[in-house]
Amino acid sequence: MKIKIAECKRMVVKVGSSLVTDEGRGLHQAAIDQWIDQIVILKKKGYEIIIVSSGAVAAGISRLKWSSKPQALPELQAAASVGQVGLVESYEKAFRKYRVNTSQILLTHEDLANRTRYLNARATIKTLLRLGIIPIVNENDSVATSEIRFGDNDTLAALVTNLIEANLLIILTDQDGLYNLDPRTNKDAQLVKTAKAGDDRLEKMASGLPGSHLGSGGMITKVIAAKRAARSGAHTIIASGREKNILARLVTEEKIGTLLVADKIPLDAKRQWLADHLNIQGRVYLDQGATIALLKEGKSLLPIGVRKVDGNFSRGDLIACIDPLNKEIARGLVNYSSDETNKILNNPSKKIKQILGYIAEDELIHRDNLVLT
Ligand code: GLU
């Protein structure tokens, strides 16, 4: 498959701790400035970019003048809490020159595993992108207990890639990419230029390779992240964040680092995700207008097009859409519970607030969360 990086219009850029903090010496403003200079240019060219940045713990350790990374979780969390302030401040500073706004999003595993919060996080990030803001995501280290931790930001970056259906995940690290052997001990080690994301051999290759002493991942978490990103159709590039103009050069198709190719097109991936991960919790019966809007016009499902509700579902559940001939035509993640849907069906969206006293979304199922069956 011929991959055109320039056509990957929505991308997640993940930056590792050792890059952001100059190997633990403290926040590396010059490096952050350099990435942001490139990101602002890409944004002007129409790319949508989300940054997943590590470095909170490492920056905290350096601000607290600790000599090494602590082992105990509360100390790591305290360090993250101190460091996160400096981390976003550094990004803010870099963006301010260009009068581009940035925002901070801190996530835990629970936020993405719980479907309601999943929809909320997704709606927020998509809105930020629409407003031209470049969000900066990190794990919510200071509250995450071990069960709800991602543990490493490579995993977090892959899940964010799935969440907003980005086309590309760029993992910037302090190495040139994935090597077939450990380059520290093998003169013959060769950079893997391209491979299929999810190829089992990559995990074997990566498992012996070093990570930095500051981050929590290594090559193995990056290779697994690429496999995850590929589930929603995104390709991954692992490359050195120290290469000059790295992002701009990747987008002009320069071959740098390791490209791990997704073999599914995004729409199929989404269909599969909906099919694999969720059971149908209910049905809504549509009128002719809504059926045509979904099938022919590529529109979202509005409450006004629904005649009847069947089943007991909550916001974020998967439900089926049934046409007037009793045939399932689509499936999607619903924005309102079955009780709420029963109250607002047959009504224009502008009346939702009046009926329920609040409004989550105008759509019952947003087009982005819907697939035709
Ligand atoms: N969330 C952690 C931090 O910002 C880093 C996790 C990782 O090393 O990937 O310090």
Side-chain angles (χ1 to χ4, degrees):
M1 194 174 7
K2 180 102 187 68
I3 308 300
K4 288 219 170 72
I5 300 302
E7 286 171 10
C8 296
K9 288 293 183 194
R10 183 179 282 172
M11 55 176 84
V12 173
V13 177
K14 188 259 169 178
V15 216
S17 296
S18 113
L19 289 176
V20 174
T21 62
D22 198 14
E23 292 177 7
R25 281 186 272 270
L27 285 159
H28 192 358
Q29 189 67 48
I32 294 177
D33 286 347
Q34 226 226 84
W35 300 312
I36 301 311
D37 291 345
Q38 300 170 57
I39 285 175
V40 169
I41 293 173
L42 292 177
K43 177 179 178 284
K44 283 200 188 117
K45 290 189 176 153
Y47 289 89
E48 290 181 316
I49 300 162
I50 298 95
I51 300 172
V52 174
S53 180
S54 304
V57 172
I61 292 171
S62 117
R63 288 194 159 189
L64 291 163
K65 304 203 170 21
W66 291 349
S67 57
S68 60
K69 186 170 173 174
Q71 297 293 317
L73 190 57
E75 284 179 11
L76 282 170
Q77 294 182 307
S81 162
V82 172
Q84 182 67 26
V85 183
L87 185 65
V88 284
E89 190 190 12
S90 292
Y91 280 100
E92 253 269 311
K93 211 186 272 170
F95 276 116
R96 205 173 300 137
K97 284 202 299 252
Y98 298 101
R99 299 210 166 88
V100 171
N101 283 321
T102 179
S103 76
Q104 168 183 268
I105 301 196
L106 300 176
L107 293 171
T108 64
H109 209 282
E110 251 181 4
D111 297 324
L112 300 187
N114 171 300
R115 279 197 298 274
T116 306
R117 292 208 226 162
Y118 173 94
L119 284 182
N120 292 346
R122 179 177 153 124
T124 306
I125 298 182
K126 288 200 165 175
T127 306
L128 288 166
L129 291 175
R130 206 180 55 236
L131 296 172
I133 289 163
I134 296 175
I136 300 177
V137 181
N138 195 0
E139 176 156 17
N140 198 349
D141 292 301
S142 48
V143 301
T145 56
S146 36
E147 309 84 73
I148 61 167
R149 296 198 74 209
F150 294 105
D152 65 83
N153 275 6
D154 298 323
T155 306
L156 172 62
L159 292 172
V160 170
T161 302
N162 295 150
L163 178 75
I164 50 152
E165 284 144 26
N167 324 99
L168 180 67
L169 166 62
I170 300 179
I171 301 183
L172 295 181
T173 175
D174 54 3
Q175 329 245 335
D176 292 331
L178 171 68
Y179 282 89
N180 63 342
L181 298 165
D182 187 343
R184 295 170 307 177
T185 48
N186 288 285
K187 279 204 311 303
D188 305 329
Q190 279 180 359
L191 185 72
V192 178
K193 295 225 164 98
T194 177
K196 213 177 106 201
D199 183 334
D200 293 338
R201 287 170 299 182
L202 299 175
E203 281 176 51
K204 274 201 208 87
M205 248 180 236
S207 54
L209 298 180
S212 79
H213 59 290
L214 292 163
S216 348
M219 268 306 150
I220 185 74
T221 56
K222 294 176 179 44
V223 164
I224 295 174
K227 182 166 152 185
R228 281 216 169 88
R231 282 198 207 145
S232 57
H235 311 299
T236 297
I237 296 175
I238 305 170
S240 166
R242 299 216 171 98
E243 265 313 312
K244 210 167 164 11
N245 262 333
I246 180 72
L247 300 171
R249 285 161 64 199
L250 286 173
V251 169
T252 53
E253 309 295 340
E254 212 179 303
K255 305 276 172 268
I256 317 172
T258 301
L259 168 67
L260 299 175
V261 178
D263 59 356
K264 275 190 220 116
I265 60 164
L267 186 66
D268 284 354
K270 181 160 146 195
R271 202 166 276 152
Q272 196 171 348
W273 185 85
L274 283 177
D276 289 355
H277 288 260
L278 308 165
N279 298 322
I280 295 185
Q281 305 295 333
R283 288 176 182 74
V284 282
Y285 293 83
L286 316 192
D287 65 11
Q288 193 57 28
T291 304
I292 292 171
L294 258 54
L295 291 180
K296 302 252 155 70
E297 295 163 6
K299 293 203 173 133
S300 299
L301 177 65
L302 302 177
I304 194 159
V306 175
R307 293 285 162 263
K308 196 176 93 181
V309 178
D310 179 26
N312 209 329
F313 50 83
S314 316
R315 172 170 157 83
D317 279 343
L318 182 69
I319 61 166
C321 303
I322 314 292
D323 75 2
L325 301 172
N326 251 340
K327 219 175 99 230
E328 179 184 315
I329 56 161
R331 285 178 179 200
L333 302 178
V334 69
N335 282 330
Y336 292 91
S337 71
S338 42
D339 285 349
E340 291 166 330
T341 308
N342 262 314
K343 291 184 191 145
I344 59 176
L345 55 76
N346 280 324
N347 280 286
S349 301
K350 61 175 191 298
K351 285 186 76 184
I352 298 177
K353 177 130 204 282
Q354 190 189 325
I355 299 169
L356 299 178
Y358 51 85
I359 178 161
E361 252 108 0
D362 281 345
E363 306 82 14
L364 188 63
I365 303 178
H366 193 278
R367 188 73 202 175
D368 290 347
N369 299 325
L370 182 126
V371 287
L372 299 178
T373 45

